[in-house]
């Protein structure tokens, strides 16, 4: 198929205009359906606009992800993890992070996996170790579930897995 230069420039301007205003990930198929873009021109133009830094974002398969979305997503997850000391994979998936363990390990290298769906900060483990050591010295009992973040206190199995990571020194 041959296109005139004017046709290509018009589509280029329309694609650039639409994608400059996008604030969330959107598939190229959705853009083609909504705005009537030519599929061939779209598939050729979008990577070129990204490569030339006309658009700031990335392609994830056939989905355009604007940089503003990626930054906001990262800031929200980092803030939640820093404030709470844990991140459930389900929460990350809802925020469109498809590899939450990789994301957390990259951002917080001292975090570790508890069970199959939860990542916990090292600070949570250190706090738990401190509490356990204190109660060992007092020769008393400790309700471990009361010390842990709510997500762990509602899951005794994951709390037990975290407790096995403690390196406590007794008398």
């Amino acid at each position: 198929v041959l296109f005139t230069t004017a046709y290509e420039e018009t589509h280029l301007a329309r694609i650039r205009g639409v994608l400059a205003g996008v604030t969330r990930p959107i598939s190229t198929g959705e853009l083609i359906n909504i705005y009537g873009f030519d599929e061939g021109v779209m598939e050729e133009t979008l990577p070129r606009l990204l490569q030339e830094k006309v658009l700031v974002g990335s392609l994830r398969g056939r989905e355009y992800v604007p940089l503003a979305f990626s930054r906001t997503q990262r800031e929200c997850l980092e803030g939640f993890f820093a404030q709470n000391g844990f991140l459930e994979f389900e929460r990350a998936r809802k925020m469109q992070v498809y590899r939450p363990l990789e994301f957390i390990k990259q951002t917080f290298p001292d975090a570790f996996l508890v069970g199959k769906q939860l990542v916990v900060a090292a600070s949570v483990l250190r706090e738990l170790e401190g509490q356990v050591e204190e109660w060992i010295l007092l020769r008393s009992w400790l309700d471990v579930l009361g010390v842990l973040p709510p997500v762990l206190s509602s899951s005794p199995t994951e709390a037990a897995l975290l407790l096995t990571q403690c390196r406590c020194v007794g008398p």
Side-chain angles (χ1 to χ4, degrees):
V1 177
L2 297 175
F3 298 116
T4 65
T5 305
Y7 178 84
E8 286 181 345
E9 288 175 0
T10 301
H11 267 291
L12 173 73
R14 287 182 61 220
I15 291 168
R16 183 180 58 232
V18 167
L19 291 176
V22 169
T23 58
R24 64 169 179 82
I26 188 165
S27 72
T28 55
E30 192 176 346
L31 289 167
I32 290 167
N33 289 338
I34 294 171
Y35 297 101
F37 296 139
D38 181 271
E39 186 173 355
V41 174
M42 175 66 133
E43 288 181 9
E44 180 184 314
T45 302
L46 182 54
R48 192 174 79 221
L49 290 172
L50 291 168
Q51 183 180 12
E52 294 171 357
K53 305 277 189 232
V54 173
L55 291 174
V56 201
S58 61
L59 271 178
R60 189 170 50 196
R62 295 194 65 187
E63 183 178 57
Y64 170 67
V65 182
L67 183 62
F69 177 84
S70 298
R71 280 186 185 156
T72 304
Q73 174 190 53
R74 179 176 211 80
E75 288 169 4
C76 286
L77 288 174
E78 286 175 359
F80 181 87
F81 187 78
Q83 183 176 10
N84 297 295
F86 68 90
L87 179 66
E88 297 166 294
F89 289 1
E90 187 58 34
R91 177 181 299 274
R93 283 188 198 99
K94 285 180 182 176
M95 293 190 69
Q96 299 181 6
V97 172
Y98 299 108
R99 295 186 197 114
L101 181 59
E102 289 176 26
F103 171 81
I104 291 296
K105 283 291 190 180
Q106 199 173 45
T107 309
F108 300 98
D110 64 339
F112 57 95
L113 184 64
V114 176
K116 294 181 180 179
Q117 296 295 314
L118 182 70
V119 178
V120 177
S123 61
V124 171
L125 181 61
R126 285 191 303 270
E127 184 179 332
L128 179 61
E129 287 174 344
Q131 291 285 332
V132 169
E133 284 181 7
E134 181 180 334
W135 285 95
I136 288 173
L137 291 173
L138 293 172
R139 297 182 189 264
S140 186
W141 294 95
L142 170 65
D143 177 14
V144 174
L145 295 179
V147 175
L148 297 173
V151 70
L152 285 166
S153 60
S154 65
S155 175
T157 305
E158 289 179 342
L161 286 171
L162 184 61
L163 195 56
T164 62
Q165 298 294 316
C166 285
R167 293 182 186 96
C168 300
V169 180

Coordinates of all heavy atoms in Angstrom, one line a residue, residues 1-8 11 38 41 44:
V1 N 0.9 -1.2 0.0 CA 0.0 0.0 0.0 C 0.9 1.2 0.0 O 1.8 1.3 0.8 CB -0.9 0.0 1.2 CG1 -1.7 1.3 1.3 CG2 -1.8 -1.2 1.3
L2 N 0.6 2.2 -0.8 CA 1.3 3.4 -0.9 C 0.5 4.5 -0.3 O -0.7 4.6 -0.5 CB 1.7 3.7 -2.4 CG 2.6 2.7 -3.1 CD1 2.7 3.1 -4.5 CD2 3.9 2.7 -2.4
F3 N 1.2 5.4 0.4 CA 0.5 6.5 1.1 C 1.2 7.8 0.6 O 2.4 7.8 0.4 CB 0.7 6.5 2.6 CG 0.0 5.3 3.2 CD1 0.8 4.4 3.9 CD2 -1.4 5.1 3.2 CE1 0.2 3.3 4.5 CE2 -2.0 4.0 3.8 CZ -1.2 3.1 4.4
T4 N 0.4 8.8 0.5 CA 1.0 10.1 0.1 C 1.7 10.7 1.3 O 1.4 10.3 2.5 CB 0.0 11.1 -0.4 OG1 -0.9 11.4 0.7 CG2 -0.8 10.6 -1.6
T5 N 2.6 11.6 1.1 CA 3.4 12.2 2.2 C 2.4 13.0 3.1 O 2.5 13.0 4.3 CB 4.4 13.2 1.7 OG1 5.3 12.4 0.8 CG2 5.3 13.8 2.8
A6 N 1.4 13.7 2.5 CA 0.4 14.4 3.3 C -0.4 13.5 4.2 O -0.7 13.8 5.3 CB -0.5 15.2 2.3
Y7 N -0.8 12.3 3.6 CA -1.5 11.4 4.4 C -0.7 10.9 5.6 O -1.2 10.8 6.8 CB -1.9 10.2 3.5 CG -2.7 9.1 4.2 CD1 -4.1 9.2 4.4 CD2 -2.0 8.0 4.7 CE1 -4.8 8.1 5.0 CE2 -2.7 6.9 5.4 CZ -4.1 7.0 5.5 OH -4.8 6.1 6.2
E8 N 0.5 10.5 5.4 CA 1.4 10.1 6.5 C 1.6 11.2 7.5 O 1.6 10.9 8.7 CB 2.7 9.6 5.9 CG 2.6 8.3 5.2 CD 4.0 7.8 4.7 OE1 4.9 8.6 4.7 OE2 4.1 6.6 4.4
H11 N -1.6 11.6 9.7 CA -1.7 10.5 10.6 C -0.6 10.6 11.7 O -0.9 10.4 12.9 CB -1.6 9.1 10.0 CG -2.9 8.6 9.6 ND1 -3.8 8.1 10.5 CD2 -3.5 8.4 8.4 CE1 -4.9 7.7 9.9 NE2 -4.7 7.8 8.6
D38 N -4.8 4.2 10.8 CA -4.5 3.1 9.9 C -3.5 2.2 10.7 O -2.5 2.7 11.3 CB -3.8 3.7 8.6 CG -3.4 2.6 7.7 OD1 -2.3 2.0 7.9 OD2 -4.2 2.2 6.9
V41 N 0.3 2.4 9.6 CA 0.9 3.6 9.9 C 1.1 3.7 11.4 O 2.2 4.2 11.9 CB 0.0 4.8 9.4 CG1 0.6 6.1 9.9 CG2 -0.1 4.8 7.9
E44 N 4.1 1.6 12.5 CA 5.4 2.1 12.0 C 5.7 3.4 12.8 O 6.8 3.7 13.1 CB 5.3 2.4 10.5 CG 6.5 3.0 10.0 CD 6.4 3.3 8.5 OE1 5.8 2.5 7.7 OE2 6.8 4.4 8.1

